[in-house]
Amino acid sequence: MAKEEKEGKNKSFVLRIDNDTMEAIEKWAADEFRSTNGQILYLLTQALKKSGRLPKKK
């Protein structure tokens, strides 16, 4: 599978999150000119990198 094809595939899932947390993420996303989804993905990616759990790209 080509690298572009693999990177373009995202898995969707439902996330339940309390209102206060969601509002904080939405504001943070707006402050950094990201979508809410993009902000959540960014935060998760940063946490995975920091913990050494994100597989290294080839």
Side-chain angles (χ1 to χ4, degrees), residues 13-34:
F13 68 98
V14 176
L15 174 65
R16 290 183 177 91
I17 192 166
D18 66 83
N19 287 332
D20 291 339
T21 301
M22 189 63 181
E23 287 175 9
I25 292 171
E26 289 170 339
K27 180 167 181 349
W28 193 0
D31 291 346
E32 296 193 6
F33 304 104
R34 290 190 181 100

Side-chain angles (χ1 to χ4, degrees), residues 7-57:
E7 287 179 1
K9 295 190 177 187
N10 293 322
K11 187 170 183 171
S12 298
F13 68 98
V14 176
L15 174 65
R16 290 183 177 91
I17 192 166
D18 66 83
N19 287 332
D20 291 339
T21 301
M22 189 63 181
E23 287 175 9
I25 292 171
E26 289 170 339
K27 180 167 181 349
W28 193 0
D31 291 346
E32 296 193 6
F33 304 104
R34 290 190 181 100
S35 66
T36 302
N37 186 72
Q39 186 70 13
I40 293 169
L41 184 58
Y42 172 78
L43 295 169
L44 288 171
T45 301
Q46 293 304 307
L48 288 167
K49 284 181 183 178
K50 184 178 178 182
S51 69
R53 296 177 183 268
L54 190 65
K56 294 183 177 153
K57 293 183 181 182

